[in-house]
Amino acid sequence: MTILPTPLTIEWRDGAVPLPRVLRVCGGGNAARVLTQRLGICSGIRVEYAEASEAEVVFDIDATLGAEAYRLDVDRRIHISAGDERGAGWAVQTLLQLLPPEVHGPGPMELESLRVPRVLIADGPRFSWRGSMLDVARHFMPVEGVLRHLDAMAMHKLNVLHLHLTDDQGWRLPVAAYPLLTEVGGWRPGTVLGHQPPPDDNDCDDVAEHDGRPHGGSYTVEDIHTIVAHADLLGITVVPEIDMPGHMEAAIAAYPWLGACDHVQHPRTCFGVSEHVLALSERTVDFCTTVLDQAMELFPGSPIHVGGDECPSREWLTDESSRATMEAIGAVDGPSAQAWFERRICQHVLDAGRRVIAWDEVLDGGVPEGTTVMVWRETDAIARAATLGHDVIAAPAEHTYFDYAQLSTPEHPLAIGGPRTLEEVSGLHTVFDALDPTLAERVLGGQFQLWSEYLRTPERVEFFAWPRGSSVAQQLWTGNAEGVGSVTDLTDHLQRLTAAGINWCRHDQ
């Protein structure tokens, strides 16, 4: 039997423990609730809470085990000790993997098939940040799709969902002070036909033709509460990203005074890097801090991602208000002007007592102290950021950008490029292995990215995410890629994904 991610130690014993129709559980909190829901769905097993002396499943907290660590002891009964509530949740995910794959599906299952092998497992993660980025801005994903993605993440012990909520193509975050962000910025009149054409001199503007099908949507406050609550149940933190000062065409369409130009009429109908960015002004900064305050309220306690990537500065040099600001702050070029903006924005989040994250472009002009740097462009920037004293999250495109095709077959759905094979993805751990140990201490972990230019539906997201996401999960939990280098290696685990109804990419086997 294969457990994924692979536990630190496994001691198999003879025999198995059958699960009764009424399972008595002591303790466990959210972890016990997850176990209750899954067993109830697949088999109709009912859970009752009982004293430890009478329970078949006993949870307790042992702080000596460390964050997210657990010990799962299956003998006469099932005993789960965990360093914290998250660790208990990961123990439940391991417990479910000890059962037949069908436990992850809708059922029904015969009660006789639910027998847990006697085993002693001690386990804990190498990295504290094990994430998936989901772009819901370029193509809106309904709440149900986000919840399904959270469920799949939990199966893999991934603990951070990075939600990319705003971009040129759409704005999905409700902001009470600026209702037009979702009413106007949440909808575009169409989407580029087929693949994004190569850049040209007019690449800053929309393509001349699109499919003419309005696309959009946004989350309500209640929707976000639903997503956050489900993530909390599973031990996952939801990190909102409001990308700024670039990638802001949707916001500028809603409130034109935000822009450094007067060309934006609606959210962008094509992709690529837009030249249309926020103007540099106190009024714009006030807008951004208001939006960030709303995000911090809707996602309590979570880190806040402020983007900072791919922000051309050409329009700042022609926009009157931006030029005046640059003169006042002594900025001589785009990077120094953006550095002023990033200092203001990042400090606002830090002053609120929250972790602030930005893409690695902020290193170019001087990243604000205390900012966590998410590295996507070149792996050398991981060491560079760590040397400067910043915490780092690894998201290198060459290993973690899953908008690239999984396979090179002509039948593969349209992708931004590729292929990015399972073998290439399985090299992520080498990025960590190459770091000097003193710098490696600054690396919180990593994540894979699901940019949605060509991922229009939750089903398409799943096709691009798995099984490559399984490989990333293994590497971030264990620090190695053992057992995830090929589809054949993953056969046992893929049976679980199939049982769960996940639309994973079938490779030639």
Side-chain angles (χ1 to χ4, degrees):
M1 176 182 294
T2 300
I3 299 171
L4 193 147
T6 307
L8 287 172
T9 65
I10 308 177
E11 179 186 329
W12 296 104
R13 300 160 171 163
D14 294 334
V17 175
L19 298 183
R21 178 66 63 189
V22 178
L23 184 68
R24 293 171 296 182
V25 174
C26 177
N30 282 342
R33 295 184 186 93
V34 171
L35 181 63
T36 298
Q37 291 178 5
R38 178 74 345 240
L39 292 178
I41 289 170
C42 73
S43 69
I45 284 180
R46 182 164 55 87
V47 169
E48 292 182 354
Y49 291 90
E51 297 296 325
S53 59
E54 300 176 348
E56 287 93 11
V57 181
V58 176
F59 291 86
D60 59 44
I61 294 295
D62 180 353
T64 65
L65 292 175
E68 299 190 80
Y70 66 90
R71 183 171 57 248
L72 172 60
D73 187 357
V74 183
D75 198 351
R76 288 178 299 173
R77 61 180 180 177
I78 299 167
H79 185 190
I80 293 172
S81 298
D84 51 24
E85 187 168 298
R86 269 185 169 173
W90 305 140
V92 164
Q93 295 297 334
T94 295
L95 175 61
L96 292 172
Q97 291 194 18
L98 292 170
L99 293 165
E102 292 75 21
V103 76
H104 295 281
M109 295 181 69
E110 295 289 350
L111 186 62
E112 292 75 18
S113 68
L114 294 173
R115 298 172 59 84
V116 184
R118 286 190 166 92
V119 67
L120 177 62
I121 294 175
D123 200 9
R126 174 174 175 182
F127 293 107
S128 62
W129 188 289
R130 306 180 306 280
S132 165
M133 192 285 298
L134 180 60
D135 174 10
V136 297
R138 289 181 175 87
H139 277 97
F140 178 66
M141 299 294 159
V143 172
E144 293 75 14
V146 178
L147 299 183
R148 275 182 56 85
H149 189 61
L150 285 166
D151 289 338
M153 289 177 61
M155 287 175 64
H156 294 83
K157 300 184 177 72
L158 296 167
N159 66 354
V160 178
L161 173 61
H162 167 186
L163 272 186
H164 185 79
L165 288 162
T166 68
D167 214 298
D168 298 316
Q169 293 78 18
W171 186 285
R172 316 303 178 199
L173 179 75
V175 181
Y178 297 103
L180 296 183
L181 287 173
T182 51
E183 293 174 16
V184 175
W187 289 88
R188 63 177 181 264
T191 305
V192 61
L193 291 160
H195 203 280
Q196 172 80 11
D200 58 27
D201 292 339
N202 196 40
D203 191 47
C204 63
D205 290 319
D206 281 337
V207 291
E209 296 181 1
H210 53 72
D211 61 14
R213 296 162 51 196
H215 176 83
S218 59
Y219 301 115
T220 65
V221 170
E222 292 73 20
D223 290 337
I224 290 177
H225 288 167
T226 297
I227 292 169
V228 170
H230 192 61
D232 285 345
L233 176 69
L234 298 170
I236 298 171
T237 299
V238 183
V239 175
E241 180 186 355
I242 299 89
D243 205 346
M244 56 181 75
H247 289 283
M248 269 282 182
E249 276 201 41
I252 297 168
Y255 295 96
W257 54 266
L258 287 169
C261 73
D262 59 1
H263 307 319
V264 177
Q265 305 299 317
H266 49 69
R268 191 170 171 88
T269 59
C270 64
F271 307 116
V273 177
S274 172
E275 296 276 353
H276 305 323
V277 301
L278 293 180
L280 297 173
S281 69
E282 288 296 330
R283 191 182 184 191
T284 301
V285 170
D286 288 345
F287 164 84
C288 292
T289 56
T290 298
V291 168
L292 292 171
D293 288 342
Q294 182 78 82
M296 287 188 278
E297 180 181 336
L298 290 172
F299 298 89
S302 72
I304 303 296
H305 201 307
V306 297
D309 62 313
E310 296 178 329
C311 182
S313 57
R314 184 172 64 180
E315 290 184 347
W316 288 343
L317 305 179
T318 57
D319 173 61
E320 183 176 346
S321 65
S322 299
R323 288 175 59 190
T325 297
M326 290 179 66
E327 183 176 351
I329 63 177
V332 297
D333 55 17
S336 58
Q338 184 171 346
W340 168 83
F341 177 88
E342 303 295 351
R343 283 194 296 272
R344 298 287 301 277
I345 294 303
C346 291
Q347 195 60 51
H348 181 80
V349 177
L350 291 168
D351 288 346
R354 307 287 278 273
R355 180 185 290 273
V356 65
I357 305 167
W359 294 107
D360 62 65
E361 278 92 336
V362 298
L363 292 169
D364 297 342
V367 57
E369 183 179 355
T371 301
T372 298
V373 179
M374 184 171 282
V375 173
W376 73 276
R377 293 182 297 175
E378 298 165 348
T379 56
D380 289 349
I382 297 174
R384 179 182 169 200
T387 300
L388 292 171
H390 298 281
D391 288 341
V392 185
I393 299 164
E398 64 188 281
H399 299 296
T400 70
Y401 269 42
F402 289 1
D403 48 340
Y404 285 75
Q406 294 222 44
L407 308 171
S408 58
T409 59
E411 296 82 12
H412 194 286
L414 186 66
I416 199 168
R420 179 138 299 141
T421 65
L422 188 60
E423 182 180 3
E424 290 171 319
V425 170
S426 296
L428 174 62
H429 69 99
T430 63
V431 172
F432 307 121
D433 296 342
L435 289 172
D436 182 276
T438 58
L439 299 181
E441 293 177 359
R442 281 286 187 180
V443 179
L444 304 180
Q447 62 181 45
F448 60 86
Q449 333 310 318
L450 292 160
W451 299 108
S452 67
E453 287 97 330
Y454 308 106
L455 280 56
R456 294 190 173 190
T457 65
E459 294 75 20
R460 188 58 55 85
V461 166
E462 291 176 353
F463 184 89
F464 278 73
W466 313 107
R468 292 183 294 191
S470 306
S471 174
V472 170
Q474 166 76 1
Q475 294 174 81
L476 295 177
W477 183 271
T478 68
N480 65 64
E482 294 177 10
V484 293
S486 70
V487 173
T488 302
D489 291 339
L490 287 164
T491 298
D492 287 350
H493 186 65
L494 294 176
Q495 293 177 28
R496 301 183 187 112
L497 301 189
T498 299
I502 292 173
N503 183 39
W504 58 275
C505 177
R506 271 65 175 174
H507 295 53
D508 292 333
Q509 298 188 47

